[in-house]
Amino acid sequence: MVQLIQRFLKLESAGGILLLFSAAVAMLLANSPLSNQYNDFLNLPVSLQIGSFSINKTLIHWINDGFMAVFFVLVGMEVKKELFEGALSTYQQAIFPAIAAVGGMIVPALVYWFIAKQDPSLANGWAIPMATDIAFALGIMALLSKQVPLPLKIFLLALAIIDDLGAIVVIALFFSHELSVQALIFSGISILTLVLLNRFRVSALCAYMVIGAILWASVLKSGVHATLAGVIIGFCIPLTGKKGERPLHDFEHILAPWSSFVILPLFAFANAGVSFDGIDVSMISSPLLLAIACGLIIGKPVGVFGFSYISVKLGLAKLPDGINLKQIFAVAVLCGIGFTMSMFLASLAFDADAGESVNTLSRLGILLGSTISATLGYLFLKQTTKLN
């Protein structure tokens, strides 16, 4: 049994499989006699208090605001590494996936707006279909890893990273409320401390963890979304230390398995539990469900492929060696897998006050759009990368 688990964890697609399994378990529990226990567990009050400072949230909010902040530390580190050493380190390498990512953010948002514009209460959801779930998309690609060209994998990774940067900007600009000046001052002091640690190339990860925890708590209290603290922490960890150490590489190596096998599956378990009680066929025509699903299924491929195609034809960028436009289209379809990232944005766009039906329909739209995108993306990728 232990050997089987070890072999599974070594699979490239293990993270994606575990995500899917966690989502499936959540949906089964939400539609079983254990649904009340499932919801009670997620709404369990959890408090942290140090002196007069306290954070009181339900378990699901700790997962969404706390655990996902750790995930965004990893995102921040990956973005920094790619910008300085990897697939985004030169203009020629970065421009093609960057243009594709911009299209993959703009067009889905426009598709959502076009379908949902008649209902002002749905206006906040425009960002939901913008996101790509890196773990799930790469997990689907990993199922065909032997026949997928390496430049195509790099293109998807670079595109998804830029996509995440876009989501971070959206969170910062549009999902921050009731700012606290005092908490922002503490946040600023924490950021300055992290920058100084980076400047002096301090390689002790515990220093970044302690100051990072203070930054996270300050940002959480400030009204700015706490996951942004994760990105800042990730960016502040140095690539090299004074004695040639690799702190960013070491911390990424520590966090990556926790992110793939604990944090993201836990997030899926907490957010994918959609109850089908009271849902009928007529709800398929709901503007919210259609706007999200069509944004992912239609908007993502049209945006990613359309902008990629135009950039090549206009000479703004060139196709990476060894891949063709048909394969780019397959990846564009795969980018419609929003899943955890889309659910995260949905939790910000529509809070508990929006009503249970809105939250249910948004999650149904994400699940429908992501499932169809994953299935079609796999089939197109299999066909376009078929081994000779």
Side-chain angles (χ1 to χ4, degrees):
M1 176 63 76
V2 174
Q3 289 181 333
L4 283 173
I5 294 173
Q6 289 176 337
R7 285 170 59 188
F8 170 75
L9 294 178
K10 289 179 181 178
L11 291 174
E12 284 187 75
S13 56
I17 293 170
L18 196 55
L19 265 180
L20 186 61
F21 176 77
S22 300
V25 170
M27 283 189 283
L28 284 173
L29 287 174
N31 294 279
S32 74
L34 296 174
S35 61
N36 288 334
Q37 287 84 344
Y38 169 74
N39 290 315
D40 288 344
F41 173 70
L42 294 179
N43 290 303
L44 188 71
V46 180
S47 299
L48 172 66
Q49 184 164 350
I50 301 174
S52 60
F53 177 85
S54 66
I55 301 175
N56 304 296
K57 288 185 174 292
T58 59
L59 181 60
I60 190 170
H61 282 101
W62 276 99
I63 292 169
N64 292 352
D65 293 340
F67 281 77
M68 285 300 284
V70 177
F71 166 72
F72 274 95
V73 172
L74 186 62
V75 170
M77 290 192 293
E78 287 179 345
V79 171
K80 180 173 181 175
K81 186 178 72 173
E82 295 300 327
L83 282 172
F84 285 91
E85 298 180 340
L88 303 174
S89 58
T90 67
Y91 174 83
Q92 290 78 11
Q93 289 175 306
I95 189 64
F96 186 60
I99 292 173
V102 169
M105 290 184 278
I106 292 174
V107 178
L110 289 175
V111 170
Y112 178 96
W113 171 82
F114 181 78
I115 296 173
K117 63 181 179 180
Q118 302 300 329
D119 188 345
S121 67
L122 304 180
N124 279 352
W126 58 271
I128 297 171
M130 287 174 54
T132 298
D133 188 310
I134 296 179
F136 217 135
L138 289 175
I140 296 293
M141 184 174 275
L143 297 174
L144 301 165
S145 59
K146 291 182 180 179
Q147 65 189 61
V148 176
L150 180 60
L152 198 61
K153 294 180 183 178
I154 294 172
F155 170 71
L156 175 59
L157 178 62
L159 190 160
I161 285 172
I162 297 167
D163 209 326
D164 276 352
L165 271 177
I168 291 161
V169 172
V170 167
I171 292 168
L173 294 178
F174 300 100
F175 297 112
S176 299
H177 308 286
E178 299 178 5
L179 300 181
S180 164
V181 175
Q182 184 181 25
L184 285 173
I185 291 171
F186 278 105
S187 300
I189 294 170
S190 301
I191 292 170
L192 178 61
T193 306
L194 287 170
V195 170
L196 289 173
L197 290 173
N198 174 277
R199 187 73 176 171
F200 289 104
R201 294 198 293 172
V202 175
S203 58
L205 294 178
C206 59
Y208 295 93
M209 292 171 66
V210 172
I211 304 302
I214 296 171
L215 174 62
W216 173 81
S218 301
V219 172
L220 182 68
K221 289 290 188 178
S222 73
V224 178
H225 201 272
T227 51
L228 294 177
V231 179
I232 294 167
I233 296 164
F235 262 97
C236 287
I237 295 173
L239 288 164
T240 57
K242 289 181 180 179
K243 300 179 180 179
E245 308 98 328
R246 304 277 287 170
L248 187 141
H249 176 271
D250 293 343
F251 201 24
E252 186 181 26
H253 186 71
I254 293 169
L255 278 189
W258 284 97
S259 173
S260 297
F261 302 123
V262 179
I263 294 171
L264 289 178
L266 186 59
F267 178 86
F269 176 78
N271 290 274
V274 181
S275 173
F276 298 125
D277 284 347
I279 294 177
D280 53 44
V281 179
S282 66
M283 297 182 78
I284 299 296
S285 61
S286 159
L288 178 57
L289 188 150
L290 284 176
I292 294 173
C294 290
L296 293 170
I297 300 166
I298 300 170
K300 269 291 185 182
V302 170
V304 171
F305 180 75
F307 275 52
S308 299
Y309 181 83
I310 291 169
S311 70
V312 171
K313 292 302 178 183
L314 292 180
L316 299 173
K318 65 176 185 176
L319 277 172
D321 295 335
I323 61 178
N324 56 51
L325 284 171
K326 289 182 180 179
Q327 293 168 339
I328 294 295
F329 179 75
V331 170
V333 175
L334 210 56
C335 286
I337 305 173
F339 202 51
T340 53
M341 285 303 298
S342 290
M343 285 189 174
F344 181 67
L345 287 169
S347 70
L348 300 180
F350 303 120
D351 54 26
D353 295 334
E356 186 62 32
S357 62
V358 169
N359 288 300
T360 297
L361 286 170
S362 65
R363 286 186 287 177
L364 279 175
I366 293 165
L367 291 171
L368 179 63
S370 297
T371 302
I372 292 174
S373 295
T375 304
L376 292 178
Y378 173 82
L379 293 174
F380 287 143
L381 197 62
K382 184 177 182 180
Q383 183 63 34
T384 57
T385 60
K386 190 177 292 184
L387 294 171
N388 296 324

